[in-house]
Amino acid sequence: ADERTNSYDIIAIQEPWQNPYSNTTYCPSSLNFLLIHDDQRRRSCIFVNKDLNINSWDAKYHGPDLCSIRVRTKERDIWVHSVYSQPPGGYSIRDYPSPIPLIPDLLSESGEHIVLGDFNLHNPMWCGIHNPTTHKASEQLVEIANSYNLALLSPRGAITWERKDSASTLD
């Protein structure tokens, strides 16, 4: 509904609304975006602006919780990876169903990479003083970020969710 979104090339959504009658989410034809979708229930999806040349990009699906789009420019390929990782179920749990272990393979593709999503992990590296707890499972994500020189673009501890009198840094 926000007109400013029409200037975006790509929108990545985690936990989109699920149509109860078909494996898709809300994307009316009147929108200025194409839903990148492969007829599978998804907890991560990407919308591509219709103004972006359809021959300049392609999508890849790595399961219901991870999808990628590669945009080819004259200078380089730019990858956008949209990740949804379910909560691990406890702060001391390390191994649980998550697409995070797949990220290094994606980052080995040539080009620039943007990894974004809902990781459902707390770590002081991004939560700051607002939530000083740490999920043990977040250590793998930190190792990946360090190994591939990824940078956190949102300020550490930035308030990213507010409702009435509550505010927090999303995980």
Side-chain angles (χ1 to χ4, degrees), residues 6-97:
N6 287 328
S7 66
Y8 301 161
D9 289 327
I10 297 169
I11 299 175
I13 305 287
Q14 294 77 43
E15 295 187 280
W17 172 82
Q18 296 287 320
N19 185 318
Y21 305 106
S22 66
N23 291 335
T24 191
T25 189
Y26 184 72
C27 187
S29 60
S30 61
L31 284 183
N32 198 38
F33 291 88
L34 298 170
L35 171 62
I36 307 308
H37 191 266
D38 65 347
D39 195 31
Q40 175 175 205
R41 283 258 185 244
R42 301 205 145 273
R43 292 190 287 188
S44 181
C45 66
I46 295 176
F47 292 84
V48 179
N49 194 307
K50 291 177 182 175
D51 291 338
L52 197 61
N53 182 336
I54 198 162
N55 295 314
S56 71
W57 58 267
D58 56 88
K60 293 189 177 185
Y61 308 97
H62 315 283
D65 298 335
L66 177 58
C67 57
S68 304
I69 183 170
R70 176 179 57 176
V71 179
R72 294 177 300 281
T73 70
K74 291 178 185 175
E75 295 82 28
R76 65 187 169 274
D77 288 350
I78 301 170
W79 290 89
V80 177
H81 309 288
S82 179
V83 183
Y84 173 79
S85 183
Q86 69 186 36
Y91 287 100
S92 62
I93 294 173
R94 290 181 190 267
D95 296 320
Y96 66 104

Side-chain angles (χ1 to χ4, degrees), residues 138-157:
S138 71
E139 294 170 3
Q140 182 180 31
L141 186 57
V142 171
E143 287 173 21
I144 292 168
N146 289 336
S147 296
Y148 290 90
N149 295 318
L150 299 178
L152 181 64
L153 294 181
S154 58
R156 181 176 174 240

Side-chain angles (χ1 to χ4, degrees), residues 79-145:
W79 290 89
V80 177
H81 309 288
S82 179
V83 183
Y84 173 79
S85 183
Q86 69 186 36
Y91 287 100
S92 62
I93 294 173
R94 290 181 190 267
D95 296 320
Y96 66 104
S98 171
I100 292 172
L102 302 175
I103 294 173
D105 287 339
L106 303 179
L107 297 175
S108 67
E109 296 282 349
S110 65
E112 302 290 323
H113 294 266
I114 300 169
V115 180
L116 51 87
D118 183 355
F119 295 95
N120 282 302
L121 295 171
H122 295 290
N123 186 291
M125 185 176 178
W126 50 85
C127 290
I129 61 171
H130 301 292
N131 190 342
T133 56
T134 300
H135 283 104
K136 290 287 185 188
S138 71
E139 294 170 3
Q140 182 180 31
L141 186 57
V142 171
E143 287 173 21
I144 292 168

